[in-house]
Amino acid sequence: MSIVMLVSPRGRSVSASLAEPGARCSVPGGENSPAADARLKGAYRFEKGGWIYLHLEGPPEHIGFQHGYLLAPEIEDAFQSVKLEDTHTTQRDWEFFRQAAHEMLWPKIDPEYQAELKGIVEGLKAKGVAMDLDDVVALNAFEELPGYYVPWYNSTHKVASAPHLVSPGNCSAFVATGSYTREHKIVIAHNNWTSYMHGERWRIIFDIVPESGARILMDGFPGVITSDDDFGVSSNGLMITETTITQFEGWNPNGIPEFERSRKALQYAHSIDDYVRIMLDGNNGGYANDWLLADNKTGEIAQFELGLKAHKVWRTKDGYYVGSNFVSDSQVLKLDTKFDPDNPETSPNARHARWEQLMKSSKGKIDVAMAEKFLSDHYDAYEKKEGADARTLCGHNDSTPNGVSVWEWGPYYPGGAVQGKAMDSAQAKAMSFVARIGHPCGDNFDAASFLKAHPEDGWEAPSLRDMKAGPWTLFKAAEHTGPR
């Protein structure tokens, strides 16, 4: 039997016993209580290793309702964090984002995912959380709207005195196979770089069994239907991750939201070619990434650099691809970005150099245990010395006065690597991976002492909180907390 903590609309925690996955959640109040809703059949949550594991199943509207209901406190909290950062950095009120969600994004979303998003709203409503559909859609687009749509909008409309906005960079990742790995099988790993304000909340392990398409195991952010830092595995044998393209510029207002396309690709792709096709279909330029992909059925890995005007795919069955927010393809570089690939001092290029060192020196030995060490690495390839900073694979921008100018991260900005994940072919076949919440190196972040030392970041105080590192923890599909 597993135990899930449900939170009432007044914040009172109650325990609900869940037997088999098909069992209903139950809270005092009987069959007429909200928790007895048939839409909750099969859903459950538990905490492990600092993460929240959330199992969702059924038709789209049920998956959404389960998501909204069982994560209601976390979604409400994450929503406030996103609103705070989006409105502060763009100097736009939240209504601007709601309007973009309503008029531009919502009409482009497939009915399946519209139903799931509506379900999230209904689940939140059942728990007394006052977020409507426009709020939830804008939350799902929190990686797309501020850094892609808003700069495009300001430029297109010639907005006077608009703040200087850039697309995000962030994240370190690799995928390797063949002669580079210990057992000549695929190994893939990723650590998520973002603001600590958002990163501390990026702690959900989603186990999703949709009515159609593949089963999905992925990490994710409360209230968002895709992974968004993009690490996951599907029952179709695909293993995926990505790192964001630095200094990307471009937006297609008639395109399909990236958060839908990335979810759809993981759910429905049977091959690398399928994944590429789905991501290209209706590409809006939002959240432009270098995708690192693997097909566990064929042993092939790929790098898929997805710009708006250009893209390129590289593939191999014996080699590796790495990501740290640099640009590889000359056409993407020329047409879609302002990135300088020849500046060795900037974080993307310094981490790229470190990845190359590690891949070459570790050839034939790479496995999940080594991947964990890579994600925890504190060697600055530019300074050629050990010491956690914004140029190390495990990023700690809060520890350095240098910042990352290409992302508009100033000195000591509270951002960096906020969690890590890794898996190999055997784990992927079993629908499992390992994950560590917090800095992959195990260091903790103390919000109060940081804000005392850096009052210039005091605007984050309402949502910035401690980020504690947990242990490396194995998660798998259909997992429960105890004997069944």
Side-chain angles (χ1 to χ4, degrees):
M1 179 176 290
S2 301
I3 302 297
V4 59
M5 297 306 295
L6 301 177
V7 183
S8 74
R10 293 185 174 88
R12 179 172 59 89
S13 296
V14 293
S15 297
S17 297
L18 298 175
E20 297 301 319
R24 289 186 179 181
C25 303
S26 60
V27 294
E31 289 296 313
N32 294 323
S33 69
D37 193 305
R39 290 171 290 183
L40 288 169
K41 182 179 180 181
Y44 57 91
R45 64 171 281 180
F46 61 85
E47 297 194 18
K48 177 181 175 182
W51 297 81
I52 296 172
Y53 184 103
L54 185 69
H55 173 84
L56 310 173
E57 63 177 69
E61 59 273 20
H62 289 193
I63 285 175
F65 185 83
Q66 294 160 12
H67 186 169
Y69 190 88
L70 292 176
L71 280 188
E74 288 79 16
I75 295 171
E76 185 175 32
D77 169 67
F79 176 59
Q80 296 304 320
S81 169
V82 167
K83 279 179 64 177
L84 176 62
E85 181 159 302
D86 286 1
T87 55
H88 176 84
T89 58
T90 67
Q91 297 177 23
R92 295 277 182 178
D93 61 23
W94 185 246
E95 190 57 35
F96 175 86
F97 294 95
R98 286 171 46 83
Q99 182 176 349
H102 184 84
E103 297 179 358
M104 179 176 57
L105 301 182
W106 177 255
K108 318 296 194 312
I109 298 173
D110 286 353
E112 174 179 357
Y113 300 112
Q114 286 187 342
E116 187 169 335
L117 292 162
K118 288 178 180 178
I120 292 173
V121 175
E122 290 301 309
L124 291 169
K125 182 180 178 181
K127 296 293 285 187
V129 176
M131 289 173 60
D132 66 15
L133 187 58
D134 293 339
D135 290 327
V136 169
V137 174
L139 172 63
N140 272 262
F142 84 100
E143 290 287 2
E144 301 180 60
L145 293 178
Y148 298 86
Y149 169 64
V150 177
W152 172 86
Y153 181 94
N154 288 343
S155 176
T156 302
H157 293 83
K158 297 179 171 54
V159 177
S161 303
H164 182 238
L165 300 170
V166 297
S167 61
N170 315 4
C171 304
S172 302
F174 81 89
V175 62
T177 193
S179 62
Y180 280 84
T181 61
R182 184 174 297 278
E183 297 183 355
H184 295 265
K185 301 294 185 181
I186 299 165
V187 179
I188 190 169
H190 174 272
N191 64 27
N192 176 2
W193 284 47
T194 188
S195 67
Y196 296 160
M197 185 166 67
H198 291 342
E200 191 278 336
R201 294 163 166 84
W202 218 305
R203 56 189 295 260
I204 314 300
I205 301 293
F206 287 97
D207 174 33
I208 305 175
V209 185
E211 192 174 49
S212 61
R215 185 177 198 144
I216 296 168
L217 186 72
M218 67 185 189
D219 77 316
F221 194 79
V224 177
I225 66 171
T226 192
S227 171
D228 239 14
D229 73 332
D230 301 300
F231 187 88
V233 58
S234 78
S235 58
N236 286 337
L238 288 206
M239 306 154 70
I240 67 100
T241 194
E242 48 84 358
T243 68
T244 313
I245 298 174
T246 293
Q247 292 184 299
F248 184 90
E249 293 186 347
W251 178 267
N252 176 7
N254 297 313
I256 299 169
E258 193 276 346
F259 71 80
E260 180 198 303
R261 289 180 290 115
S262 59
R263 165 62 183 279
K264 185 176 182 179
L266 186 56
Q267 184 174 341
Y268 286 103
H270 288 265
S271 66
I272 290 169
D273 288 333
D274 280 351
Y275 201 96
V276 170
R277 174 182 54 78
I278 293 169
M279 291 302 297
L280 285 172
D281 184 17
N283 179 17
N284 68 344
Y287 201 23
N289 295 312
D290 261 291
W291 292 91
L292 305 183
L293 308 172
D295 188 337
N296 207 19
K297 302 183 298 298
T298 66
E300 187 175 40
I301 64 173
Q303 177 184 346
F304 169 36
E305 189 161 271
L306 177 58
L308 179 59
K309 298 175 183 176
H311 69 276
K312 187 169 181 176
V313 179
W314 300 261
R315 25 197 338 157
T316 186
K317 290 187 178 181
D318 186 13
Y320 66 87
Y321 300 109
V322 298
S324 59
N325 320 115
F326 57 89
V327 184
S328 297
D329 179 60
S330 61
Q331 287 299 103
V332 173
L333 181 69
K334 176 183 177 180
L335 299 175
D336 288 316
T337 81
K338 290 186 176 180
F339 182 68
D340 180 2
D342 299 318
N343 178 4
E345 183 178 2
T346 194
S347 175
N349 291 331
R351 286 181 289 124
H352 186 188
R354 182 56 174 162
W355 271 132
E356 293 294 338
Q357 292 172 356
L358 290 171
M359 292 293 107
K360 291 171 183 174
S361 66
S362 305
K363 186 175 181 179
K365 299 179 288 186
I366 298 172
D367 58 12
V368 169
M370 187 166 283
E372 293 173 4
K373 293 180 181 178
F374 294 164
L375 298 181
S376 305
D377 187 73
H378 285 169
Y379 183 79
D380 185 325
Y382 177 75
E383 296 282 357
K384 295 181 171 55
K385 65 180 184 181
E386 289 283 342
D389 61 26
R391 286 189 290 258
T392 55
L393 293 179
C394 182
H396 297 248
N397 193 81
D398 56 304
S399 69
T400 175
N402 297 323
V404 186
S405 61
V406 292
W407 305 335
E408 295 292 307
W409 282 15
Y412 302 108
Y413 174 77
V418 298
Q419 37 101 317
K421 297 85 54 183
M423 67 177 144
D424 61 18
S425 291
Q427 289 172 334
K429 186 175 182 180
M431 291 289 291
S432 65
F433 57 73
V434 297
R436 185 176 207 175
I437 199 70
H439 285 303
C441 65
D443 288 351
N444 295 324
F445 170 76
D446 182 86
S449 60
F450 173 84
L451 289 170
K452 184 176 181 181
H454 301 284
E456 68 274 14
D457 291 303
W459 66 271
E460 293 195 28
S463 290
L464 187 67
R465 57 195 187 201
D466 296 347
M467 189 173 72
K468 303 293 186 182
W472 283 102
T473 305
L474 178 68
F475 293 97
K476 58 185 178 180
E479 183 171 354
H480 287 68
T481 56
R484 295 169 60 185

